[in-house]
């Protein structure tokens, strides 16, 4: 007996949305953009830092040390920023988010455990980078373990969020991983043709983020580093961004070829073709800015590079959101939920969100001021 996937979609809530859909999706996209920057640095950056610490030269090891010393704060920022898109996904897309994560409940739940071990692993490794400390075998193993765990976490997240829109696979996954109709929560979305290219494309984009951050760090936070390091950072960032750009383009073409026909037609037709083109070509702007600094990184251009990369991440977040809605439109209209405005929680959220961003900006400003002081 063939089951209609819509039978597994969660029922609509009688309470409706607590805010208009445009408000929910705006903060979902904004939060995901803010989360992507730090997330890319631990997704691709930690693995790259471990490789260069093992097999790189003096300046490469200096870069690795700089990034890993910053990583505990980067991870903390990324996790906290990640709460925002996850919260608004649960609110606006609850009818597909919860069924998808119930089907893969144990892998989804394991993210908390893996993240805990990965976070502690980074702290253990960083203790070996302090002045006078030693990178023992245990601490090196902790660093490599964290790098692998963060890659695994990214794969599980990609499974969960791609399964949200892969409703056609739900009945089969449910039948294969259930007992007497009760799902065991052991499913993974590995049969989805969009999963692998999307995950690998994100890794290519993460490489470009690491490259852009290398320039930003060298131009803003590492002004007291030697001229040799500055030159190395510029050349390394250009090479890394070029590799990431090619990787992103190849995997992006593969990803595009796996889109459903209706989604591809809409994303490649007016007016969405403009968004698709900007998303595809956007990484070229940070590359040009990095290229212009191949001989000398300047503070102004380094900050522009960081801002340009943030724009690239925003374009990717917006495009993914539009595509997600198109994929879901065959089964569900997420914009049709009734709205039961809850004003006081919204005001509290907005106030705390602004205060939180202000604290982050203040922290970054203090680090920048400290780096400008004489050694």
């Amino acid at each position: 007996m063939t089951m209609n996937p819509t039978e597994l979609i969660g029922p609509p809530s009688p309470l409706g949305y607590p805010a208009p859909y445009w408000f929910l999706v705006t903060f979902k996209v904004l939060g995901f953009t803010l989360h992507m920057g730090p997330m890319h640095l631990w997704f691709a950056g930690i693995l790259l830092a471990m490789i260069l610490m093992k097999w790189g030269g003096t300046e490469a090891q200096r870069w690795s040390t700089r990034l890993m010393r910053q990583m505990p704060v980067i991870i903390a920022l990324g996790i906290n920023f990640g709460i925002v898109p996850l919260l608004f996904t649960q609110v606006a897309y609850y009818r597909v988010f919860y069924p998808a994560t119930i089907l893969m409940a144990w892998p989804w739940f394991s993210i908390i455990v893996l993240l805990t071990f990965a976070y502690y692993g980074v702290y253990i490794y960083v203790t070996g980078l302090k002045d006078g400390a030693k990178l023992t075998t245990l601490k090196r193993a902790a660093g490599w373990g964290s790098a692998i765990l963060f890659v695994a976490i990214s794969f599980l997240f990609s499974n969960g969020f791609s399964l949200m829109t892969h409703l056609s696979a739900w009945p089969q996954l449910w039948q294969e991983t259930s007992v007497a109709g009760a799902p065991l929560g052991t499913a993974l979305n590995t049969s989805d043709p969009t999963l692998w290219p999307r995950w690998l494309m994100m890794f290519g984009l993460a490489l470009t983020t690491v490259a852009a951050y290398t320039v930003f760090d060298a131009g803003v936070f590492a002004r007291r580093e030697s001229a040799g390091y500055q030159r190395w950072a510029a050349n390394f960032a250009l090479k890394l961004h070029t590799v990431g750009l090619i990787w992103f383009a190849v995997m992006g073409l593969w990803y595009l070829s796996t889109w459903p026909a209706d989604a591809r037609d809409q994303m490649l037709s007016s007016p969405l073709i403009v968004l698709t083109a900007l998303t595809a070509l956007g990484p070229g702007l940070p590359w040009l800015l990095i290229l212009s600094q191949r001989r000398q990184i300047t503070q102004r251009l380094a900050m522009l590079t960081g801002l340009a990369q943030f724009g690239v991440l925003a374009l990717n977040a917006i495009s993914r959101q539009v595509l997600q809605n198109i994929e879901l439109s065959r089964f569900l209209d997420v914009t049709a939920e009734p709205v039961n405005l809850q004003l006081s929680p919204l005001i509290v959220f907005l106030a705390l969100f602004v205060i939180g961003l202000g604290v982050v900006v203040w922290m970054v400003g203090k680090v920048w001021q400290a780096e400008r002081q004489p050694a």
Side-chain angles (χ1 to χ4, degrees), residues 38-375:
M39 181 265 286
H40 282 176
L41 295 181
W42 72 59
F43 179 23
I46 294 180
L47 181 61
L48 196 56
M50 297 306 302
I51 292 172
L52 292 183
M53 180 59 80
K54 176 68 175 179
W55 292 288
T58 302
E59 301 300 354
Q61 292 177 351
R62 188 183 303 276
W63 174 87
S64 174
T65 300
R66 285 192 59 83
L67 181 64
M68 292 305 293
R69 281 178 171 173
Q70 299 168 6
M71 195 54 65
V73 176
I74 291 172
I75 294 173
L77 290 175
I79 292 173
N80 282 280
F81 282 139
I83 293 172
V84 177
L86 185 60
L87 169 66
F88 284 97
T89 297
Q90 293 171 341
V91 173
Y93 293 82
Y94 66 96
R95 297 185 64 186
V96 290
F97 173 81
Y98 289 109
T101 51
I102 287 172
L103 286 171
M104 57 171 292
W106 286 111
W108 187 256
F109 177 77
S110 72
I111 290 174
I112 300 175
V113 179
L114 297 179
L115 180 58
T116 302
F117 280 105
Y119 206 172
Y120 273 109
V122 167
Y123 270 102
I124 293 171
Y125 179 81
V126 170
T127 60
L129 300 177
K130 294 181 178 180
D131 295 336
K134 182 181 178 181
L135 268 176
T136 62
T137 301
L138 173 62
K139 292 175 181 178
R140 290 182 186 275
W144 281 105
S146 294
I148 294 170
L149 288 176
F150 276 120
V151 171
I153 290 169
S154 72
F155 182 69
L156 294 177
F157 264 113
S158 291
N159 265 268
F161 286 107
S162 60
L163 188 56
M164 273 179 51
T165 60
H166 194 206
L167 273 69
S168 59
W170 286 10
Q172 183 177 353
L173 287 175
W174 171 66
Q175 291 170 356
E176 291 176 350
T177 60
S178 64
V179 175
L184 298 175
T186 58
L188 282 175
N189 193 37
T190 52
S191 64
D192 186 350
T194 70
L195 171 65
W196 295 100
R198 179 188 171 199
W199 181 57
L200 291 172
M201 183 186 72
M202 185 62 75
F203 186 79
L205 188 62
L207 291 177
T208 68
T209 301
V210 174
Y213 183 75
T214 297
V215 170
F216 181 84
D217 177 65
V220 177
F221 297 140
R223 302 299 296 170
R224 290 185 292 186
E225 293 286 355
S226 66
Y229 174 80
Q230 294 283 334
R231 287 192 297 272
W232 179 91
N235 291 325
F236 170 71
L238 181 59
K239 293 175 183 177
L240 181 61
H241 200 287
T242 302
V243 171
L245 200 60
I246 295 172
W247 188 314
F248 175 75
V250 173
M251 295 303 150
L253 288 174
W254 181 17
Y255 179 43
L256 188 148
S257 70
T258 63
W259 290 355
D262 58 336
R264 186 163 55 248
D265 290 343
Q266 291 188 56
M267 293 298 290
L268 297 180
S269 301
S270 181
L272 292 180
I273 182 64
V274 177
L275 175 62
T276 304
L278 288 174
T279 304
L281 299 175
L285 178 57
W287 183 85
L288 289 173
L289 289 168
I290 294 173
L291 178 64
S292 68
Q293 300 172 83
R294 66 189 182 279
R295 290 189 176 88
Q296 181 181 6
I297 296 175
T298 66
Q299 189 175 92
R300 181 181 178 184
L301 288 178
M303 295 178 72
L304 285 175
T305 302
L307 184 62
Q309 186 66 23
F310 181 82
V312 169
L313 300 184
L315 283 171
N316 275 269
I318 294 170
S319 291
R320 177 56 200 162
Q321 185 58 66
V322 172
L323 180 61
Q324 185 180 70
N325 283 2
I326 293 174
E327 291 173 328
L328 285 174
S329 64
R330 290 170 289 167
F331 307 98
L332 175 70
D333 182 4
V334 293
T335 66
E337 293 278 335
V339 176
N340 181 20
L341 187 63
Q342 299 179 28
L343 195 56
S344 55
L346 293 183
I347 294 174
V348 172
F349 164 77
L350 287 173
L352 293 176
F353 184 77
V354 172
I355 292 171
L357 283 180
V359 170
V360 171
V361 172
W362 176 80
M363 290 170 59
V364 173
K366 287 297 182 181
V367 174
W368 180 63
Q369 289 176 9
E371 290 293 335
R372 297 184 67 187
Q373 299 298 320

Side-chain angles (χ1 to χ4, degrees), residues 4-22:
N4 189 330
T6 57
E7 296 178 34
L8 297 177
I9 293 178
S13 170
L15 299 177
Y17 284 157
Y21 174 77
W22 65 263

